[in-house]
Amino acid sequence: METLFYKLGYKENEKLSFLNKGRCGMWLIWIGVIIIFGTITGGSNCLNPFVFGVGYSFGMFMMLRSKFVEKHFSLGENSKFQNRISCISILFMFIIMLLISGRYFATYNYRMIWLGALLATAIHFIPFSLVHGKLLLILSIPLAINSLVGMFEPSVSFYYFGIIDGIIKVIFGIILIKTRKIISE
């Protein structure tokens, strides 16, 4: 594993600093609210794809391009290693999403498509913890449990799982913002 980290730009004995915990916290709050609103308006789609798509796109633009967010929620640039891990983590999420949710597109099983997407997101927080801190490891646990329970309990409405996922993300987003000044763990 260490050899792989070195190939990704990790320097021996490098202490990772988590300079964008606040920005990550803002993203979690934003996407949590979008998931809650999208679930409330989702109807037969479980999570409203229009609300989610527009909210996700606008949120990405806002988090990555807004000078206000950068000034107030970022303490500096990620390391080269963290930037690479960030890209790998996002790619990893889409691959997992395709593997879990992909087979349900043919049957229009929106419940399993969205639960698979939420589970893939939970899993992608594990490598993302190298970018934003150990709290993301902890975040992945309740998100994964929520998604898995939803997959194995089809009698319970998706509505509850979508709302719970959004609430968990908002709570952890607030914690990340409150702890953003602590830059290494």
Side-chain angles (χ1 to χ4, degrees):
M1 187 63 108
E2 285 183 16
T3 309
L4 174 63
F5 282 1
Y6 293 129
K7 288 181 180 179
L8 293 173
Y10 180 77
K11 296 179 179 89
E12 191 169 351
N13 299 322
E14 177 182 0
K15 187 159 176 80
L16 295 177
S17 295
F18 306 110
L19 303 174
N20 286 291
K21 285 171 66 173
R23 188 179 269 181
C24 179
M26 284 296 296
W27 170 254
L28 286 172
I29 292 168
W30 175 262
I31 203 66
V33 169
I34 293 299
I35 288 171
I36 291 168
F37 185 64
T39 299
I40 291 169
T41 62
S44 63
N45 290 320
C46 293
L47 203 156
N48 186 315
F50 178 77
V51 169
F52 184 79
V54 170
Y56 185 92
S57 300
F58 180 75
M60 282 302 249
F61 178 79
M62 186 175 63
M63 294 306 144
L64 298 175
R65 306 292 290 174
S66 169
K67 294 297 179 192
F68 175 83
V69 172
E70 184 178 340
K71 179 180 177 185
H72 294 284
F73 296 98
S74 176
L75 300 172
E77 294 293 319
N78 288 330
S79 70
K80 185 177 180 181
F81 170 71
Q82 288 173 316
N83 285 336
R84 288 181 177 165
I85 290 293
S86 180
C87 291
I88 289 168
S89 178
I90 292 167
L91 178 63
F92 181 59
M93 177 185 67
F94 283 110
I95 291 169
I96 295 170
M97 203 178 299
L98 181 65
L99 292 173
I100 297 172
S101 298
R103 62 182 167 199
Y104 297 106
F105 277 96
T107 59
Y108 300 100
N109 186 339
Y110 297 114
R111 176 191 176 87
M112 292 302 285
I113 291 168
W114 283 112
L115 287 169
L118 296 177
L119 179 58
T121 302
I123 294 168
H124 107 288
F125 286 129
I126 295 169
F128 235 134
S129 67
L130 295 169
V131 180
H132 297 297
K134 294 175 187 171
L135 191 61
L136 268 66
L137 285 173
I138 298 168
L139 169 62
S140 70
I141 295 167
L143 291 176
I145 290 169
N146 182 56
S147 300
L148 289 169
V149 170
M151 290 174 159
F152 293 109
E153 289 293 337
S155 62
V156 179
S157 171
F158 173 85
Y159 182 87
Y160 300 107
F161 300 107
I163 299 294
I164 290 168
D165 183 272
I167 290 170
I168 292 168
K169 287 177 177 147
V170 169
I171 290 168
F172 274 82
I174 292 167
I175 294 168
L176 279 166
I177 288 172
K178 289 190 175 287
T179 62
R180 72 182 179 271
K181 299 289 188 204
I182 304 166
I183 59 173
S184 61
E185 298 172 357

